[in-house]
């Protein structure tokens, strides 16, 4: 009477083994990939606490999500048919699944170490590369094992099974161990500033979004940009290498601080809440190429932009600590509330031309209302733009040009009223919209000889903006009476559209007229004024070189913790002789200037 019971138990045992093999073989590769994805998230966000609790929550969350996705993909290929067939297919698929999981994890680590090279601290980026090496080795071992068994149709013995399990466990250990090996550097100790008194030129730094020498040089050569032509002849100029990925706020902050995003902390995108990993946690960098923000953030939207995201001093904060009053208008991450600049209007102050500025975006507080007086009248602005930018500019273009006019008028007024201010930083973003809509047409007319009406209209819109910018720069230059130095900079440039948009232009008249702002096209560096060598061509310049070059141009030493170098080729021999290159440990520890 016990035999039927024993037979039933044997059948139940075989059925359990079958389903465990099917479910485990489908779930395990995805779970392994999810564990390594969780490790990548902690690599990309060093601010997340790397402790047992957050790490386990991340491993369980992403391991479960990808494990279930992997199981859903495996079931159609491993479902037992006929019903009582042994689960050999599931067992043979498992080693290949582990191989693919390790290969994908290694590929993600390699690509993100390259993609975010300037956005990750050097130490943690090195650890991520080492992790990618270990994962690549594990993928090769798993591939070799699976290939040998498949070619020879051999069953997996206990040594092969334990070997694959050990490779998977060691890959997880390598990820955790390498991430734990990163230790951030301590902050420098504050120290007082000792600055020799000297007459310094008044500095104007005017940033122009997406400006490029591909437009400035031909237009200046045609006589349409007289001020630019004079500055090119009597100043120094060159292409300014940008950083990839092209994220506007991050790049402009690098230009103003002389440090890569890995040091100044501005990533160019809003952070996402990560309370499911750690209380108050934020994801400042997300894995790319995986649509991660749609599912990896658990459907949560981005957080509001933090009021003080920057972790490094900008020039308008360094200079006041060196007893050089400075003001800033319209720069990203300008931190008006810091109170170190004589006046500060952040980029958020000008975000809405028709609405009101964001609270806390102006310093001092009374400037918040005074700045609204300089906002241009919509009708007057449209009347002044009509004819130059077409009979009725598109709303986006109109808003961009009106925003620039607001910034120009306010910046010029503040500079005149605050005569004691010796450095003014002004950012004009209007060209970005013009370039995005029309730079391809300008390029086709100027460099390819296209005479189509649509291309010529687009070229005229780009030209009109540069003519307007040229007039503004000439006005700023003419108002300065004493020694002065002008820097016109762009953190990234514009290029004609490529790929399918470029192929499509021959089939559709209006296609291919826009410009590309991604892939880090070169920006612009133009220096004009006291100490600058006339006609100098600056080569090999990058974003991080601007801050140390400007500090040197004002006669200050260069901090060793800056990522850039001084572009000495831009200065004339008398200036270089009077100002030998000197160094300082770090400006980050300088004590704030006493309140006046």
């Amino acid at each position: 009477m016990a035999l039927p019971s024993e037979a039933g138990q044997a059948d139940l045992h075989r059925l359990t083994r079958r389903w465990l093999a099917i479910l485990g073989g489908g779930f395990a590769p995805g779970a392994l990939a999810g564990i390594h994805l969780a490790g990548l998230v902690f690599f990309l966000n060093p601010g997340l606490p790397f402790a047992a609790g957050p790490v386990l929550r991340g491993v369980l969350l992403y391991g479960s999500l990808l494990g279930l996705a992997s199981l859903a993909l495996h079931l159609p290929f491993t479902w037992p048919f006929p019903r009582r067939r042994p689960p050999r297919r599931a067992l043979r698929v498992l080693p290949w699944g582990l191989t693919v999981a390790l290969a994908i994890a290694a590929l993600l680590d390699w690509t993100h170490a390259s993609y975010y090279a300037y956005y990750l601290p050097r130490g943690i980026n090195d650890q991520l590369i080492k992790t990618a090496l270990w994962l690549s080795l594990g993928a090769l071992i798993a591939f070799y094992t699976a290939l040998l068994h498949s070619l020879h149709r051999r069953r997996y013995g206990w040594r092969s099974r334990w070997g694959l399990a050990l490779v998977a466990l060691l890959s997880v250990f390598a990820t955790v161990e390498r991430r734990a090996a990163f230790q951030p550097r301590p902050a420098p100790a504050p120290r007082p500033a000792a600055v020799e008194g000297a007459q310094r030129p008044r500095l104007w730094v005017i940033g122009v979004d997406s400006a490029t020498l591909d437009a400035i040089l031909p237009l200046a050569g045609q006589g349409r940009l007289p001020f630019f032509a004079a500055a090119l002849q009597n100043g120094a100029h060159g292409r300014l290498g940008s950083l990839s990925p092209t994220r506007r706020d991050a790049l402009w902050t690098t230009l103003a601080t002389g440090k890569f995003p890995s040091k100044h902390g501005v990533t160019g995108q809003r952070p996402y809440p990560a309370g499911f990993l750690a209380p108050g946690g934020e994801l400042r960098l997300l894995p790319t190429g995986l649509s991660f923000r749609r599912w990896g953030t658990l459907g949560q939207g981005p957080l509001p932009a933090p009021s003080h995201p920057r972790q490094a001093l900008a020039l308008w904060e360094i200079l006041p600590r060196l007893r050089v009053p400075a003001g800033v208008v319209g720069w990203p991450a300008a931190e008006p509330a810091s109170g170190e600049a004589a006046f500060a209007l952040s980029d958020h102050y000008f975000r809405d031309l028709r609405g009101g500025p964001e609270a806390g975006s102006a310093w001092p507080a009374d400037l918040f209302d005074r700045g609204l007086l300089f906002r241009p009248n919509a009708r007057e602005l449209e009347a002044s733009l009509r004819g130059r930018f077409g009979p009725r500019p598109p709303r986006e273009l109109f808003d961009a040009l009106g925003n620039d006019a607001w910034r120009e008028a306010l910046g010029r007024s503040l500079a005149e009223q605050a005569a004691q201010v010796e450095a003014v930083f002004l950012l004009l973003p209007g060209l970005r919209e013009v370039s995005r809509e029309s730079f391809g047409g300008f390029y086709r007319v100027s460099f390819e000889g296209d005479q189509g009406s649509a291309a010529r209209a687009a070229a005229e819109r780009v030209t009109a903006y540069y003519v307007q910018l040229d007039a503004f720069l000439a006005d700023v230059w003419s108002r300065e009476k004493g020694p002065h130095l002008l820097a016109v900079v762009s953190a990234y440039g514009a290029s004609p559209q490529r790929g399918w948009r470029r192929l499509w232009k021959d089939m559709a008249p209006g296609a291919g007229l826009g410009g590309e702002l991604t892939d880090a096209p070169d920006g612009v560096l133009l220096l004009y004024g006291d100490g600058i060598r006339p006609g100098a061509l600056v080569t090999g310049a990058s974003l991080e070189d601007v801050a140390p070059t400007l500090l040197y141009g004002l006669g200050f030493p260069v901090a060793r913790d800056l990522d850039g170098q001084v572009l000495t080729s831009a200065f004339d021999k008398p200036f270089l002789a009077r100002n030998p290159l000197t160094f300082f440990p770090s400006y980050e520890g300088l004590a704030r200037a006493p309140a006046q």
Side-chain angles (χ1 to χ4, degrees):
M1 299 297 294
L3 290 178
S5 177
E6 292 177 358
Q9 290 180 359
D11 287 343
L12 180 61
H13 180 67
R14 283 194 298 269
L15 184 62
T16 303
R17 287 186 59 192
R18 178 183 296 115
W19 281 107
L20 283 177
I22 293 171
L23 297 178
F27 184 85
L32 180 61
I35 291 171
H36 286 295
L37 179 62
L40 178 61
V41 168
F42 279 93
F43 270 108
L44 299 182
N45 298 275
L48 286 175
F50 193 72
V55 171
L56 286 176
R57 284 191 285 270
V59 165
L60 291 174
L61 172 63
Y62 296 116
S64 300
L65 289 176
L66 294 190
L68 293 174
S70 173
L71 179 60
L73 291 175
H74 277 75
L75 280 179
F77 303 100
T78 58
W79 189 271
F81 184 82
R83 187 175 180 182
R84 293 187 176 274
R85 182 178 178 180
R88 293 177 181 176
R89 183 180 300 177
L91 293 176
R92 288 196 172 276
V93 168
L94 177 58
W96 287 106
L98 295 177
T99 301
V100 172
L102 289 172
I104 291 176
L107 180 62
L108 286 175
D109 286 358
W110 281 118
T111 54
H112 284 82
S114 173
Y115 186 72
Y116 287 126
Y118 296 109
Y119 289 73
L120 292 174
R122 180 172 300 177
I124 204 166
N125 199 54
D126 291 344
Q127 300 302 330
L128 183 56
I129 292 174
K130 292 177 181 179
T131 303
L133 283 170
W134 284 112
L135 294 182
S136 300
L137 178 61
L140 286 174
I141 294 173
F143 173 76
Y144 181 73
T145 303
L147 182 64
L148 284 182
H149 285 76
S150 296
L151 290 177
H152 298 288
R153 297 184 178 277
R154 289 162 44 188
R155 298 185 64 178
Y156 286 88
W158 67 269
R159 286 183 296 182
S160 299
R161 296 177 184 179
W162 281 107
L164 289 172
L166 183 61
V167 167
L169 290 174
L170 287 178
S171 71
V172 175
F173 173 78
T175 299
V176 174
E177 191 274 334
R178 287 294 88 199
R179 174 60 182 84
F182 169 72
Q183 296 295 334
R185 295 182 178 179
R191 62 178 67 197
V195 182
E196 297 181 2
Q199 185 179 18
R200 307 181 194 279
R202 192 183 199 192
L203 174 66
W204 271 88
V205 180
I206 299 179
V208 186
D209 256 331
S210 78
T212 173
L213 288 177
D214 290 340
I216 294 174
L217 292 178
L219 292 176
Q222 297 167 13
R224 307 188 73 169
L225 306 178
F227 179 80
F228 270 111
L232 290 169
Q233 182 178 359
N234 300 308
H237 73 279
R239 297 184 182 274
L240 194 62
S242 191
L243 306 179
S244 182
T246 305
R247 294 182 174 177
R248 177 180 179 269
D249 289 6
L251 300 188
W252 281 112
T253 306
T254 291
L255 192 147
T257 61
K259 297 182 178 181
F260 293 134
S262 59
K263 291 184 179 179
H264 62 61
V266 178
T267 62
Q269 67 179 19
R270 291 165 64 182
Y272 283 77
F276 51 87
L277 295 178
E282 295 180 358
L283 299 180
R284 305 187 67 83
L285 287 178
L286 302 181
T288 184
L290 302 173
S291 297
F292 187 84
R293 68 183 60 192
R294 296 188 177 184
W295 59 272
T297 59
L298 302 187
Q300 301 186 71
L303 294 168
S307 57
H308 300 288
R310 185 161 37 83
Q311 300 166 4
L313 294 178
L315 286 174
W316 54 81
E317 294 165 330
I318 294 174
L319 292 176
R321 299 186 184 196
L322 296 171
R323 310 302 187 265
V324 176
V328 57
V329 176
W331 215 281
E335 291 190 296
S338 67
E340 298 198 52
F343 55 84
L345 294 156
S346 78
D347 195 39
H348 296 285
Y349 186 85
F350 303 93
R351 282 289 171 89
D352 191 350
L353 186 63
R354 293 173 176 78
E358 292 188 14
S361 57
W363 172 267
D366 64 339
L367 186 57
F368 186 89
D369 293 326
R370 283 195 292 130
L372 296 176
L373 302 176
F374 294 86
R375 184 163 50 180
N377 179 275
R379 291 185 178 180
E380 295 178 357
L381 180 63
E382 186 173 356
S384 66
L385 297 178
R386 186 180 295 117
R388 286 185 293 167
F389 294 92
R392 193 172 186 84
R395 173 59 60 88
E396 295 79 11
L397 178 60
F398 179 84
D399 289 346
L401 296 170
N403 196 302
D404 272 9
W406 187 5
R407 294 171 185 238
E408 290 171 359
L410 185 52
R412 195 160 35 201
S413 174
L414 290 172
E416 291 178 351
Q417 294 175 11
Q420 78 282 5
V421 172
E422 299 178 29
V424 180
F425 297 84
L426 170 65
L427 181 59
L428 305 175
L431 181 59
R432 177 186 175 91
E433 187 64 34
V434 180
S435 297
R436 179 184 286 122
E437 296 295 327
S438 305
F439 186 78
F442 176 86
Y443 190 91
R444 286 164 59 176
V445 171
S446 301
F447 297 97
E448 298 177 357
D450 191 333
Q451 294 302 313
S453 59
R456 284 189 285 108
E460 283 303 317
R461 285 193 292 271
V462 174
T463 300
Y465 181 91
Y466 278 99
V467 170
Q468 182 172 291
L469 174 64
D470 186 85
F472 171 70
L473 294 175
D475 181 70
V476 169
W477 185 261
S478 64
R479 292 170 184 262
E480 296 295 331
K481 304 304 180 184
H484 49 289
L485 174 62
L486 172 67
V488 180
V489 293
S490 176
Y492 56 92
S495 60
Q497 290 180 341
R498 298 183 177 89
W500 66 269
R501 293 186 179 90
R502 176 127 181 121
L503 296 175
W504 184 249
K505 77 177 181 64
D506 296 327
M507 303 175 63
L513 298 181
E516 295 284 352
L517 307 180
T518 56
D519 298 330
D522 289 341
V524 172
L525 174 63
L526 175 62
L527 299 174
Y528 187 28
D530 293 72
I532 303 302
R533 181 162 64 94
L537 177 62
V538 181
T539 58
S542 298
L543 285 187
E544 65 276 13
D545 298 330
V546 174
T549 299
L550 294 179
L551 285 169
Y552 175 74
L554 295 178
F556 294 113
V558 179
R560 294 188 182 278
D561 64 342
L562 297 181
D563 291 314
Q565 60 183 352
V566 176
L567 302 171
T568 54
S569 60
F571 299 93
D572 57 28
K573 291 183 178 179
F575 184 89
L576 293 172
R578 294 193 307 269
N579 298 274
L581 194 60
T582 56
F583 296 92
F584 188 74
S586 175
Y587 285 119
E588 296 295 333
L590 283 181
R592 296 181 57 166
Q596 299 296 325

